[in-house]
Amino acid sequence: MSRRHTRLEEASGYHILTLARPDTRNTITDPEMLDELIGTIDDPEIDVLIITGEGPAFSAGGDVKGMAERKGMFAGTPFQISEAYIATIQRLTRTLAATDTVTIAAVNGPAVGAGFDLVLGCDLRIGSTRAWFAHTFIDLGIIPGDGGAWLLPRVVGWQRATELALTARRVGSTEAVGLDILLEEVEPDQLIPKASTLAAEIASKPRHSVRATKRLLRHARDMGLDGFLDLSASLQAISHEEPAHREALDRYLSEWESRKAGRGGSAPLGDEGARRE
């Protein structure tokens, strides 16, 4: 994939995708930007992906100038605009919701409007002390057409989402941790190292387990218990046949034998044995 609006770096078991349009504060409604974002998130070879922004902003969301000039996805009749939203920015929301790739937002600065929703769509979110968030759609006389009104209540709860959506107020990084928008806030120079440490830890786990667990977690939001348990049983059966599962068992039992020899014998750690340790 050729890249003009993003930059992709490969690290040890994970990748870092940087929104690289600081001149636009990394707006994400440009079709090429969306194609690069979606194509990377949807890449089956990428298991853990950090998303961050270049420059002072994470993402300003939609191109307000393009809205004012009625260009691109904002052009045409109401029907044409509706179809454009479905074909562009909503593709990003659907891709984030459907991917088995673990996504980590490393929020380096303001995340506004659809940029805030990009953060909310990620599985894990770490922010710099320079990060802040705002659902600013209402100030522009529009609504979250990208699906943000579905994402926000699932992260912060119904009442707080209503307040943030109807006031468009700014949430700083410290408050964002309290609202579960962020997992953690760190100093700016520690943002990528912190996100990388988390990404590397996840990437060190058996690949099939990471992707299957991510799949379970995303279905848990909306699936009934019976269907969810059936899915869990199926994915577990597949996991039991993976070579990495057998390797993990062999390693675990080998470590237990070593510990047993040093203690004069005890039950394996795990299940009843773990509770007796």
Side-chain angles (χ1 to χ4, degrees), residues 192-205:
I192 296 303
K194 185 70 176 182
S196 296
T197 297
L198 180 59
E201 182 176 359
I202 295 169
S204 72
K205 310 300 183 185

Side-chain angles (χ1 to χ4, degrees), residues 37-60:
L37 255 174
I38 292 166
T40 306
I41 295 165
D42 210 28
D43 186 339
E45 298 303 313
I46 296 178
D47 297 316
V48 184
L49 179 67
I50 296 170
I51 302 175
T52 193
E54 182 181 320
F58 176 80
S59 174

Side-chain angles (χ1 to χ4, degrees), residues 27-177:
T27 55
I28 57 174
T29 48
D30 179 281
E32 289 184 74
M33 171 70 89
L34 283 170
D35 285 345
E36 291 176 29
L37 255 174
I38 292 166
T40 306
I41 295 165
D42 210 28
D43 186 339
E45 298 303 313
I46 296 178
D47 297 316
V48 184
L49 179 67
I50 296 170
I51 302 175
T52 193
E54 182 181 320
F58 176 80
S59 174
D63 177 5
V64 176
K65 185 178 179 182
M67 290 183 202
E69 296 175 353
R70 303 296 293 266
K71 290 182 177 179
M73 63 181 285
F74 310 112
T77 66
F79 176 78
Q80 289 171 325
I81 294 172
S82 172
E83 291 295 296
Y85 266 81
I86 292 169
T88 56
I89 193 68
Q90 288 188 1
R91 284 176 55 223
L92 175 59
T93 307
R94 292 178 190 276
T95 300
L96 281 166
T99 186
D100 289 337
T101 296
V102 177
T103 51
I104 302 172
V107 190
N108 54 295
V112 179
F116 185 8
D117 293 336
L118 171 57
V119 173
L120 294 172
C122 290
D123 302 306
L124 298 161
R125 302 171 291 273
I126 297 172
S128 155
T129 53
R130 294 174 182 164
W132 56 265
F133 308 86
H135 235 224
T136 52
F137 303 95
I138 202 163
D139 281 348
L140 296 174
I142 56 176
I143 57 96
D146 61 339
W150 187 90
L151 293 165
L152 191 60
R154 284 164 170 76
V155 173
V156 303
W158 186 268
Q159 179 172 234
R160 185 61 70 189
T162 302
E163 183 248 338
L164 294 178
L166 295 180
T167 66
R169 77 171 176 87
R170 180 183 298 194
V171 176
S173 59
T174 299
E175 184 184 4
V177 174

Side-chain angles (χ1 to χ4, degrees), residues 243-260:
H245 168 60
R246 176 54 56 187
E247 292 167 7
L249 285 177
D250 291 344
R251 185 167 57 251
Y252 177 86
L253 291 173
S254 175
E255 292 171 356
W256 167 62
E257 290 290 348
S258 297
R259 287 193 298 269
K260 185 177 70 170

